[in-house]
Amino acid sequence: MIEQTPKSFLGFDFSTQRLKAVLIDENYVVRQEADVEFDVDLPEFRTSGGVVRGERGEVTAPPLLWVKALDMVMDRLVLAGVDFSTVEAVSGAAQQHGSVWWTKGSEDKLKNLSSEDFLHIQLASVFAADSPVWMDSSTSADCRALEEAVGGPEELAKVTGSRAYERFTGPQIRKMYRTRPRLYNATERISLVSSFACSLFLGKYAPIDLSDGSGMNLLDIHSMKWCEEALKACGDEDLVNKLGTPVPTASVVGNISKYFVERYGFKSTCKLVAFTGDNCSALAGLRLRSGWVGLSLGTSDTLLLGLQEARAPPAGHILVGPTADAPYMALLCFSNGSLTRQNHRDRLVGPSWDDFNELLRSTVRGNMGYMGIYYDTAEIVPRAVSGRWLWDASGKPLEKVAPQFETRALLETQALARRAHAEDMAFRLDKSSRIVATGGASVNKELLQIFSDVFNTPVYIQEQHANAALLGAAIRAADVWSDHVGLKLSGSELKVSPVATPYSDAENIYTPMMKRYRELVQQVPTLC
Ligand code: XUL
């Protein structure tokens, strides 16, 4: 009898605060996981929440931190006993929009890595700058200039799927070109965090994928090519070469590099599937059906919806979809998600979610009319400055309310904001709708109950894993590999189970509150 060799697939998630890895088998069952937390495991980079903040809205991360985290996570997988020779394909997800600036000669270094040494030692001098990341809000002037150059915000949204946003890579590149021309000129390649991470495995520059590439304000999402006018507005004639040609997300981009074969025992035929943005990966991982909403509760909160066609959005973004099932996807990103919830939990009750939830349970749904907007970091949807605003039932602004009312005001108003802005983007919920929740905070049942009531829709969670972006990376590795080699895998359908259903009075409570949210949010100063 011929023994069948087991097959496995490896996924990575280069997220804001940590690097995670997951190994699944051919039945898509999770076999092994490893995780590196940047602030805790790599304190020498002095990050807080994985980033370094400047004085004028600049938020960056040192790319060498991510390289060192990869060395570490690989060692943790080795210690966990992973047999890399069974891995047929690797893929990854990464925080969106961040850019990695490689100096001239970097690709040669990538091609000639010695398997005797750590990556971070060999790549210590390849980065031209710290990487601006998605929390950066320092490029407002560049956004306005880009919009103007292509005929206004609506026109830019029509072509690239989004108006100009501070964190999008095009405005970030424009700022670098304008303020640090020497650095721009010394740059051989600009990667997204996703294509940078893929390059580490590939041993040469990996292409940007179309889905994450549509988070740059530079890609024409209809022709799937770079938009020449947008490129011209953000850099010089060499920018197109610095970016390379984008590829469909469901692409095999090559075999894993010799470094990984020699150092970790991967087989030389192990395929690399294009890495993509975390939200794009989550959509693939959640296998969303039409009418379902993906709700990712991470550092930021994100709503995801698979779309058949691209409609220009008033706010939020249309991206090229990561799979053939969803040619396009809608994305709404609220920058104040878990980190903000956690900050206020710490302030109100200390570091325990149980204590926070106990206080929350001492209040009633609707919170006797108390509402609050908490933006610890400048908000993306709606574009607004950081700050905290509280109101009583009559709409009177308050400086302070009792902590129990704050707990509920924080969560209810967040959920109301998610629904209001989704509706503004023509998201329509119906009887068959579901919210499929994922991300770290999706384990918090109290929070999910609030979302269920506010959306008046049942909330499901993915049974297998709370992190859809990470699991999505491994699933994409398996799906794209199986298409590539023409071998069907017994990969399972998405398994989800309901965790919260709306109470019968949900609509009566939250419809008027939705109206109030729309009025109150007008009082918050917009980011100019
Ligand atoms: C999406 C966005 C964030 C990051 C977080 O547009 O900026 O969700 O991808 O990792």
Side-chain angles (χ1 to χ4, degrees):
M1 198 176 95
I2 305 167
E3 206 188 309
Q4 269 228 299
T5 44
K7 292 180 179 30
S8 66
F9 302 90
L10 191 53
F12 292 87
D13 182 13
F14 287 72
S15 71
T16 313
Q17 303 194 54
R18 36 172 44 94
L19 168 58
K20 291 158 274 187
V22 67
L23 185 85
I24 61 171
D25 65 18
E26 55 203 275
N27 299 312
Y28 292 36
V29 173
V30 172
R31 289 293 172 195
Q32 203 55 256
E33 288 192 67
D35 167 70
V36 169
E37 188 177 349
F38 303 144
D39 296 358
V40 175
D41 292 312
L42 293 159
E44 64 272 34
F45 290 94
R46 296 168 182 274
T47 53
S48 169
V51 299
V52 178
R53 287 170 190 275
E55 274 163 16
R56 279 178 232 94
E58 304 91 349
V59 185
T60 59
L64 199 60
L65 160 75
W66 300 325
V67 177
K68 199 164 180 186
L70 177 57
D71 285 327
M72 258 180 159
V73 95
M74 288 305 298
D75 280 353
R76 289 183 183 179
L77 289 170
V78 171
L79 286 178
V82 170
D83 175 3
F84 293 106
S85 72
T86 65
V87 178
E88 297 292 347
V90 175
S91 193
Q95 55 170 301
Q96 292 200 257
H97 318 295
S99 48
V100 176
W101 298 70
W102 304 86
T103 51
K104 296 208 168 108
S106 299
E107 190 167 38
D108 279 345
K109 291 226 169 91
L110 281 173
K111 285 182 177 159
N112 293 299
L113 292 167
S114 152
S115 59
E116 300 289 303
D117 232 333
F118 285 117
L119 289 172
H120 74 270
I121 292 179
Q122 301 182 70
L123 298 176
S125 62
V126 300
F127 303 111
D130 280 346
S131 294
V133 298
W134 65 274
M135 292 159 108
D136 186 286
S137 59
S138 68
T139 62
S140 302
D142 302 282
C143 288
R144 300 296 79 78
L146 170 58
E147 285 175 342
E148 210 167 291
V150 301
E154 283 81 21
E155 193 52 32
L156 186 67
K158 226 184 263 169
V159 178
T160 71
S162 304
R163 296 160 167 244
Y165 282 84
E166 280 74 5
R167 71 192 192 287
F168 274 43
T169 327
Q172 292 290 343
I173 292 174
R174 186 176 188 278
K175 181 182 158 197
M176 209 65 108
Y177 176 60
R178 191 168 55 78
T179 61
R180 301 171 77 183
R182 290 231 321 245
L183 186 152
Y184 176 92
N185 287 326
T187 296
E188 180 172 84
R189 183 77 165 210
I190 304 170
S191 295
L192 293 177
V193 183
S194 54
S195 60
F196 142 82
C198 188
S199 308
L200 299 176
F201 290 94
L202 195 59
K204 59 182 183 184
Y205 293 141
I208 289 175
D209 75 289
L210 288 170
S211 200
D212 207 12
S214 28
M216 300 173 81
N217 276 142
L218 296 179
L219 186 84
D220 181 331
I221 62 166
H222 310 279
S223 70
M224 311 283 175
K225 301 217 160 53
W226 297 122
C227 162
E228 278 177 29
E229 279 174 308
L231 288 193
K232 210 158 128 208
C234 293
D236 60 10
E237 62 290 344
D238 190 39
L239 183 52
V240 69
N241 304 321
K242 291 193 197 308
L243 294 173
T245 309
V247 297
T249 307
S251 301
V252 168
V253 293
N255 290 351
I256 201 159
S257 75
K258 208 157 100 270
Y259 177 89
F260 283 86
V261 174
E262 288 172 2
R263 191 172 173 94
Y264 296 105
F266 283 87
K267 53 185 161 207
S268 55
T269 51
C270 172
K271 301 286 174 240
L272 273 178
V273 171
F275 284 32
T276 190
D278 49 6
N279 298 299
C280 323
S281 183
L283 182 92
L286 292 172
R287 297 168 173 220
L288 287 186
R289 309 210 176 121
S290 80
W292 294 18
V293 176
L295 171 66
S296 162
L297 299 163
T299 306
S300 60
D301 284 352
T302 313
L303 289 189
L304 305 171
L305 198 77
L307 300 175
Q308 284 307 320
E309 59 189 87
R311 281 165 303 153
H317 319 292
I318 303 287
L319 308 181
V320 176
T323 62
D325 301 339
Y328 291 98
M329 63 183 277
L331 167 71
L332 275 167
C333 174
F334 303 86
S335 48
N336 288 278
S338 285
L339 206 54
T340 298
R341 283 188 285 273
Q342 200 176 301
N343 290 343
H344 292 283
R345 175 203 66 187
D346 291 350
R347 179 176 62 82
L348 294 165
V349 294
S352 152
W353 279 115
D354 287 342
D355 292 349
F356 183 92
N357 287 342
E358 201 178 307
L359 203 58
L360 181 74
R361 281 192 294 271
S362 71
T363 58
V364 291
R365 290 153 62 248
N367 209 22
M368 296 173 59
Y370 290 112
M371 291 180 73
I373 290 181
Y374 295 78
Y375 297 156
D376 287 6
T377 189
E379 183 50 73
I380 297 168
V381 182
R383 278 169 47 82
V385 298
S386 57
R388 180 178 359 143
W389 298 267
L390 293 162
W391 297 272
D392 71 7
S394 70
K396 191 168 108 217
L398 302 170
E399 277 300 310
K400 237 181 135 187
V401 296
Q404 64 271 31
F405 294 124
E406 277 214 67
T407 59
R408 191 168 281 279
L410 167 65
L411 302 189
E412 284 189 342
T413 314
Q414 278 191 334
L416 286 162
R418 309 301 177 255
R419 180 162 179 182
H421 297 287
E423 284 178 356
D424 290 349
M425 258 194 105
F427 276 11
R428 289 290 167 261
L429 295 154
D430 61 32
K431 287 265 168 292
S432 69
S433 290
R434 292 173 170 194
I435 296 173
V436 184
T438 171
S442 65
V443 295
N444 187 337
K445 300 270 163 62
E446 302 284 342
L447 177 63
L448 297 185
Q449 185 61 51
I450 289 175
F451 270 95
S452 180
D453 283 330
V454 167
F455 278 73
N456 199 19
T457 298
V459 177
Y460 286 65
I461 51 167
Q462 205 175 3
E463 262 165 32
Q464 221 194 352
H465 208 285
N467 184 336
L470 175 63
L471 190 62
I475 288 179
R476 288 184 49 254
D479 283 352
V480 177
W481 176 87
S482 108
D483 271 0
H484 183 78
V485 300
L487 196 89
K488 210 160 166 40
L489 292 167
S490 45
S492 51
E493 268 280 286
L494 171 70
K495 294 192 194 83
V496 287
S497 51
V499 279
T501 45
Y503 285 102
S504 54
D505 58 355
E507 200 154 349
N508 291 344
I509 295 175
Y510 291 107
T511 305
M513 282 179 83
M514 179 72 83
K515 197 161 157 270
R516 283 189 60 214
Y517 165 77
R518 288 184 184 283
E519 287 159 11
L520 294 175
V521 76
Q522 303 296 331
Q523 298 178 26
V524 174
T526 51
L527 196 69
C528 44

